[in-house]
PDB file of all heavy atoms in Angstrom:
ATOM      1  N   THR A 298       7.045 -10.458  11.443  1.00  0.00           N
ATOM      2  CA  THR A 298       7.299  -9.010  11.218  1.00  0.00           C
ATOM      3  C   THR A 298       6.128  -8.211  11.774  1.00  0.00           C
ATOM      4  O   THR A 298       5.029  -8.244  11.259  1.00  0.00           O
ATOM      5  CB  THR A 298       7.458  -8.680   9.715  1.00  0.00           C
ATOM      6  OG1 THR A 298       8.450  -9.539   9.144  1.00  0.00           O
ATOM      7  CG2 THR A 298       7.863  -7.272   9.510  1.00  0.00           C
ATOM      8  N   GLY A 299       6.381  -7.475  12.855  1.00  0.00           N
ATOM      9  CA  GLY A 299       5.364  -6.623  13.461  1.00  0.00           C
ATOM     10  C   GLY A 299       5.196  -5.372  12.662  1.00  0.00           C
ATOM     11  O   GLY A 299       6.002  -5.048  11.791  1.00  0.00           O
ATOM     12  N   PRO A 300       4.210  -4.553  12.999  1.00  0.00           N
ATOM     13  CA  PRO A 300       3.978  -3.257  12.277  1.00  0.00           C
ATOM     14  C   PRO A 300       5.138  -2.374  12.248  1.00  0.00           C
ATOM     15  O   PRO A 300       5.538  -1.829  11.205  1.00  0.00           O
ATOM     16  CB  PRO A 300       2.753  -2.644  13.070  1.00  0.00           C
ATOM     17  CG  PRO A 300       2.076  -3.830  13.653  1.00  0.00           C
ATOM     18  CD  PRO A 300       3.168  -4.791  14.062  1.00  0.00           C
ATOM     19  N   GLU A 301       5.853  -2.148  13.405  1.00  0.00           N
ATOM     20  CA  GLU A 301       6.988  -1.261  13.410  1.00  0.00           C
ATOM     21  C   GLU A 301       8.188  -1.869  12.694  1.00  0.00           C
ATOM     22  O   GLU A 301       8.956  -1.166  12.036  1.00  0.00           O
ATOM     23  CB  GLU A 301       7.335  -0.865  14.874  1.00  0.00           C
ATOM     24  CG  GLU A 301       6.284   0.006  15.529  1.00  0.00           C
ATOM     25  CD  GLU A 301       6.025   1.252  14.736  1.00  0.00           C
ATOM     26  OE1 GLU A 301       7.011   1.910  14.256  1.00  0.00           O
ATOM     27  OE2 GLU A 301       4.876   1.599  14.529  1.00  0.00           O
ATOM     28  N   SER A 302       8.344  -3.157  12.821  1.00  0.00           N
ATOM     29  CA  SER A 302       9.458  -3.814  12.154  1.00  0.00           C
ATOM     30  C   SER A 302       9.260  -3.748  10.626  1.00  0.00           C
ATOM     31  O   SER A 302      10.236  -3.591   9.831  1.00  0.00           O
ATOM     32  CB  SER A 302       9.530  -5.280  12.520  1.00  0.00           C
ATOM     33  OG  SER A 302       9.877  -5.425  13.901  1.00  0.00           O
ATOM     34  N   ALA A 303       8.007  -3.803  10.147  1.00  0.00           N
ATOM     35  CA  ALA A 303       7.773  -3.668   8.716  1.00  0.00           C
ATOM     36  C   ALA A 303       8.150  -2.275   8.267  1.00  0.00           C
ATOM     37  O   ALA A 303       8.771  -2.132   7.167  1.00  0.00           O
ATOM     38  CB  ALA A 303       6.262  -3.942   8.446  1.00  0.00           C
ATOM     39  N   LEU A 304       7.796  -1.287   9.004  1.00  0.00           N
ATOM     40  CA  LEU A 304       8.163   0.123   8.649  1.00  0.00           C
ATOM     41  C   LEU A 304       9.691   0.245   8.620  1.00  0.00           C
ATOM     42  O   LEU A 304      10.263   0.930   7.753  1.00  0.00           O
ATOM     43  CB  LEU A 304       7.566   1.079   9.643  1.00  0.00           C
ATOM     44  CG  LEU A 304       6.027   1.338   9.470  1.00  0.00           C
ATOM     45  CD1 LEU A 304       5.562   2.194  10.668  1.00  0.00           C
ATOM     46  CD2 LEU A 304       5.770   2.070   8.180  1.00  0.00           C
ATOM     47  N   ASP A 305      10.305  -0.369   9.602  1.00  0.00           N
ATOM     48  CA  ASP A 305      11.811  -0.261   9.647  1.00  0.00           C
ATOM     49  C   ASP A 305      12.414  -0.947   8.455  1.00  0.00           C
ATOM     50  O   ASP A 305      13.342  -0.412   7.843  1.00  0.00           O
ATOM     51  CB  ASP A 305      12.300  -0.971  10.981  1.00  0.00           C
ATOM     52  CG  ASP A 305      13.824  -0.925  11.047  1.00  0.00           C
ATOM     53  OD1 ASP A 305      14.413   0.156  11.181  1.00  0.00           O
ATOM     54  OD2 ASP A 305      14.414  -2.035  11.024  1.00  0.00           O
ATOM     55  N   ALA A 306      11.807  -2.084   8.083  1.00  0.00           N
ATOM     56  CA  ALA A 306      12.390  -2.808   6.870  1.00  0.00           C
ATOM     57  C   ALA A 306      12.295  -1.932   5.636  1.00  0.00           C
ATOM     58  O   ALA A 306      13.265  -1.869   4.842  1.00  0.00           O
ATOM     59  CB  ALA A 306      11.659  -4.125   6.722  1.00  0.00           C
ATOM     60  N   VAL A 307      11.127  -1.327   5.402  1.00  0.00           N
ATOM     61  CA  VAL A 307      10.954  -0.464   4.234  1.00  0.00           C
ATOM     62  C   VAL A 307      11.921   0.710   4.282  1.00  0.00           C
ATOM     63  O   VAL A 307      12.562   1.086   3.322  1.00  0.00           O
ATOM     64  CB  VAL A 307       9.506   0.008   4.132  1.00  0.00           C
ATOM     65  CG1 VAL A 307       9.361   1.153   3.115  1.00  0.00           C
ATOM     66  CG2 VAL A 307       8.628  -1.140   3.686  1.00  0.00           C
ATOM     67  N   GLY A 308      12.066   1.303   5.497  1.00  0.00           N
ATOM     68  CA  GLY A 308      12.993   2.404   5.626  1.00  0.00           C
ATOM     69  C   GLY A 308      14.437   2.042   5.322  1.00  0.00           C
ATOM     70  O   GLY A 308      15.124   2.807   4.593  1.00  0.00           O
ATOM     71  N   ARG A 309      14.779   0.858   5.754  1.00  0.00           N
ATOM     72  CA  ARG A 309      16.182   0.410   5.435  1.00  0.00           C
ATOM     73  C   ARG A 309      16.313   0.072   3.932  1.00  0.00           C
ATOM     74  O   ARG A 309      17.374   0.451   3.356  1.00  0.00           O
ATOM     75  CB  ARG A 309      16.465  -0.898   6.238  1.00  0.00           C
ATOM     76  CG  ARG A 309      16.619  -0.677   7.727  1.00  0.00           C
ATOM     77  CD  ARG A 309      16.687  -1.970   8.508  1.00  0.00           C
ATOM     78  NE  ARG A 309      17.849  -2.790   8.088  1.00  0.00           N
ATOM     79  CZ  ARG A 309      18.013  -4.037   8.440  1.00  0.00           C
ATOM     80  NH1 ARG A 309      17.096  -4.618   9.217  1.00  0.00           N
ATOM     81  NH2 ARG A 309      19.087  -4.720   8.026  1.00  0.00           N
ATOM     82  N   LEU A 310      15.333  -0.499   3.308  1.00  0.00           N
ATOM     83  CA  LEU A 310      15.409  -0.772   1.883  1.00  0.00           C
ATOM     84  C   LEU A 310      15.544   0.555   1.111  1.00  0.00           C
ATOM     85  O   LEU A 310      16.367   0.655   0.140  1.00  0.00           O
ATOM     86  CB  LEU A 310      14.224  -1.547   1.423  1.00  0.00           C
ATOM     87  CG  LEU A 310      14.161  -1.886  -0.073  1.00  0.00           C
ATOM     88  CD1 LEU A 310      15.315  -2.804  -0.466  1.00  0.00           C
ATOM     89  CD2 LEU A 310      12.827  -2.504  -0.452  1.00  0.00           C
ATOM     90  N   LEU A 311      14.717   1.531   1.437  1.00  0.00           N
ATOM     91  CA  LEU A 311      14.792   2.828   0.786  1.00  0.00           C
ATOM     92  C   LEU A 311      16.110   3.539   0.957  1.00  0.00           C
ATOM     93  O   LEU A 311      16.677   4.128   0.057  1.00  0.00           O
ATOM     94  CB  LEU A 311      13.643   3.719   1.204  1.00  0.00           C
ATOM     95  CG  LEU A 311      12.254   3.236   0.772  1.00  0.00           C
ATOM     96  CD1 LEU A 311      11.192   4.162   1.358  1.00  0.00           C
ATOM     97  CD2 LEU A 311      12.117   3.160  -0.761  1.00  0.00           C
ATOM     98  N   ALA A 312      16.650   3.435   2.242  1.00  0.00           N
ATOM     99  CA  ALA A 312      17.977   4.015   2.517  1.00  0.00           C
ATOM    100  C   ALA A 312      19.072   3.343   1.710  1.00  0.00           C
ATOM    101  O   ALA A 312      19.973   4.004   1.162  1.00  0.00           O
ATOM    102  CB  ALA A 312      18.237   3.957   3.972  1.00  0.00           C
ATOM    103  N   LEU A 313      18.977   2.039   1.540  1.00  0.00           N
ATOM    104  CA  LEU A 313      19.975   1.289   0.793  1.00  0.00           C
ATOM    105  C   LEU A 313      19.906   1.667  -0.647  1.00  0.00           C
ATOM    106  O   LEU A 313      20.952   1.813  -1.315  1.00  0.00           O
ATOM    107  CB  LEU A 313      19.749  -0.201   0.997  1.00  0.00           C
ATOM    108  CG  LEU A 313      20.182  -0.819   2.349  1.00  0.00           C
ATOM    109  CD1 LEU A 313      19.594  -2.223   2.490  1.00  0.00           C
ATOM    110  CD2 LEU A 313      21.655  -0.783   2.503  1.00  0.00           C
ATOM    111  N   THR A 314      18.695   1.755  -1.229  1.00  0.00           N
ATOM    112  CA  THR A 314      18.582   2.143  -2.654  1.00  0.00           C
ATOM    113  C   THR A 314      19.065   3.572  -2.880  1.00  0.00           C
ATOM    114  O   THR A 314      19.737   3.886  -3.878  1.00  0.00           O
ATOM    115  CB  THR A 314      17.135   1.968  -3.139  1.00  0.00           C
ATOM    116  OG1 THR A 314      16.248   2.803  -2.404  1.00  0.00           O
ATOM    117  CG2 THR A 314      16.684   0.527  -3.070  1.00  0.00           C
ATOM    118  N   ALA A 315      18.779   4.437  -1.903  1.00  0.00           N
ATOM    119  CA  ALA A 315      19.265   5.842  -2.032  1.00  0.00           C
ATOM    120  C   ALA A 315      20.815   5.882  -2.035  1.00  0.00           C
ATOM    121  O   ALA A 315      21.387   6.652  -2.802  1.00  0.00           O
ATOM    122  CB  ALA A 315      18.697   6.701  -0.874  1.00  0.00           C
ATOM    123  N   ALA A 316      21.402   5.121  -1.171  1.00  0.00           N
ATOM    124  CA  ALA A 316      22.869   5.083  -1.112  1.00  0.00           C
ATOM    125  C   ALA A 316      23.470   4.527  -2.350  1.00  0.00           C
ATOM    126  O   ALA A 316      24.448   5.026  -2.920  1.00  0.00           O
ATOM    127  CB  ALA A 316      23.356   4.270   0.106  1.00  0.00           C
ATOM    128  N   ARG A 317      22.845   3.462  -2.863  1.00  0.00           N
ATOM    129  CA  ARG A 317      23.344   2.862  -4.120  1.00  0.00           C
ATOM    130  C   ARG A 317      23.147   3.827  -5.316  1.00  0.00           C
ATOM    131  O   ARG A 317      24.030   3.968  -6.156  1.00  0.00           O
ATOM    132  CB  ARG A 317      22.660   1.536  -4.411  1.00  0.00           C
ATOM    133  CG  ARG A 317      23.006   0.376  -3.549  1.00  0.00           C
ATOM    134  CD  ARG A 317      24.525   0.069  -3.608  1.00  0.00           C
ATOM    135  NE  ARG A 317      25.013   0.147  -4.964  1.00  0.00           N
ATOM    136  CZ  ARG A 317      26.218   0.633  -5.349  1.00  0.00           C
ATOM    137  NH1 ARG A 317      27.039   1.096  -4.399  1.00  0.00           N
ATOM    138  NH2 ARG A 317      26.622   0.628  -6.574  1.00  0.00           N
ATOM    139  N   TYR A 318      21.967   4.447  -5.355  1.00  0.00           N
ATOM    140  CA  TYR A 318      21.753   5.390  -6.467  1.00  0.00           C
ATOM    141  C   TYR A 318      22.752   6.549  -6.433  1.00  0.00           C
ATOM    142  O   TYR A 318      23.199   7.018  -7.488  1.00  0.00           O
ATOM    143  CB  TYR A 318      20.304   5.921  -6.328  1.00  0.00           C
ATOM    144  CG  TYR A 318      20.004   6.968  -7.374  1.00  0.00           C
ATOM    145  CD1 TYR A 318      19.855   6.613  -8.728  1.00  0.00           C
ATOM    146  CD2 TYR A 318      19.836   8.285  -7.059  1.00  0.00           C
ATOM    147  CE1 TYR A 318      19.550   7.567  -9.694  1.00  0.00           C
ATOM    148  CE2 TYR A 318      19.541   9.285  -8.026  1.00  0.00           C
ATOM    149  CZ  TYR A 318      19.376   8.905  -9.335  1.00  0.00           C
ATOM    150  OH  TYR A 318      19.101   9.828 -10.281  1.00  0.00           O
ATOM    151  N   ALA A 319      23.104   6.979  -5.232  1.00  0.00           N
ATOM    152  CA  ALA A 319      24.036   8.106  -5.095  1.00  0.00           C
ATOM    153  C   ALA A 319      25.418   7.775  -5.666  1.00  0.00           C
ATOM    154  O   ALA A 319      26.203   8.665  -5.954  1.00  0.00           O
ATOM    155  CB  ALA A 319      24.139   8.538  -3.661  1.00  0.00           C
ATOM    156  N   ALA A 320      25.711   6.456  -5.821  1.00  0.00           N
ATOM    157  CA  ALA A 320      26.998   6.074  -6.353  1.00  0.00           C
ATOM    158  C   ALA A 320      27.096   6.317  -7.831  1.00  0.00           C
ATOM    159  O   ALA A 320      28.198   6.267  -8.385  1.00  0.00           O
ATOM    160  CB  ALA A 320      27.224   4.546  -6.031  1.00  0.00           C
ATOM    161  N   GLY A 321      26.008   6.583  -8.467  1.00  0.00           N
ATOM    162  CA  GLY A 321      25.994   6.979  -9.886  1.00  0.00           C
ATOM    163  C   GLY A 321      26.163   5.805 -10.833  1.00  0.00           C
ATOM    164  O   GLY A 321      26.650   6.020 -11.959  1.00  0.00           O
ATOM    165  N   ASP A 322      25.785   4.615 -10.458  1.00  0.00           N
ATOM    166  CA  ASP A 322      25.991   3.442 -11.262  1.00  0.00           C
ATOM    167  C   ASP A 322      24.766   3.095 -12.181  1.00  0.00           C
ATOM    168  O   ASP A 322      24.831   2.088 -12.837  1.00  0.00           O
ATOM    169  CB  ASP A 322      26.272   2.184 -10.402  1.00  0.00           C
ATOM    170  CG  ASP A 322      27.615   2.333  -9.678  1.00  0.00           C
ATOM    171  OD1 ASP A 322      28.501   3.025 -10.210  1.00  0.00           O
ATOM    172  OD2 ASP A 322      27.736   1.733  -8.592  1.00  0.00           O
ATOM    173  N   TYR A 323      23.773   3.933 -12.175  1.00  0.00           N
ATOM    174  CA  TYR A 323      22.541   3.558 -12.945  1.00  0.00           C
ATOM    175  C   TYR A 323      22.153   4.724 -13.813  1.00  0.00           C
ATOM    176  O   TYR A 323      21.255   5.525 -13.516  1.00  0.00           O
ATOM    177  CB  TYR A 323      21.407   3.253 -11.899  1.00  0.00           C
ATOM    178  CG  TYR A 323      21.866   2.245 -10.870  1.00  0.00           C
ATOM    179  CD1 TYR A 323      22.326   2.747  -9.652  1.00  0.00           C
ATOM    180  CD2 TYR A 323      21.843   0.888 -11.119  1.00  0.00           C
ATOM    181  CE1 TYR A 323      22.762   1.872  -8.662  1.00  0.00           C
ATOM    182  CE2 TYR A 323      22.282   0.020 -10.155  1.00  0.00           C
ATOM    183  CZ  TYR A 323      22.753   0.462  -8.950  1.00  0.00           C
ATOM    184  OH  TYR A 323      23.192  -0.387  -7.957  1.00  0.00           O
ATOM    185  N   PRO A 324      22.852   4.922 -14.914  1.00  0.00           N
ATOM    186  CA  PRO A 324      22.685   6.133 -15.759  1.00  0.00           C
ATOM    187  C   PRO A 324      21.302   6.333 -16.292  1.00  0.00           C
ATOM    188  O   PRO A 324      20.899   7.465 -16.545  1.00  0.00           O
ATOM    189  CB  PRO A 324      23.733   5.907 -16.845  1.00  0.00           C
ATOM    190  CG  PRO A 324      24.002   4.478 -16.899  1.00  0.00           C
ATOM    191  CD  PRO A 324      23.861   4.019 -15.468  1.00  0.00           C
TER     192      PRO A 324
END
Side-chain angles (χ1 to χ4, degrees):
T298 306
E301 292 304 315
S302 295
L304 285 171
D305 178 66
V307 165
R309 290 171 61 190
L310 179 63
L311 293 176
L313 288 167
T314 59
R317 286 303 317 143
Y318 176 70
D322 294 331
Y323 313 94

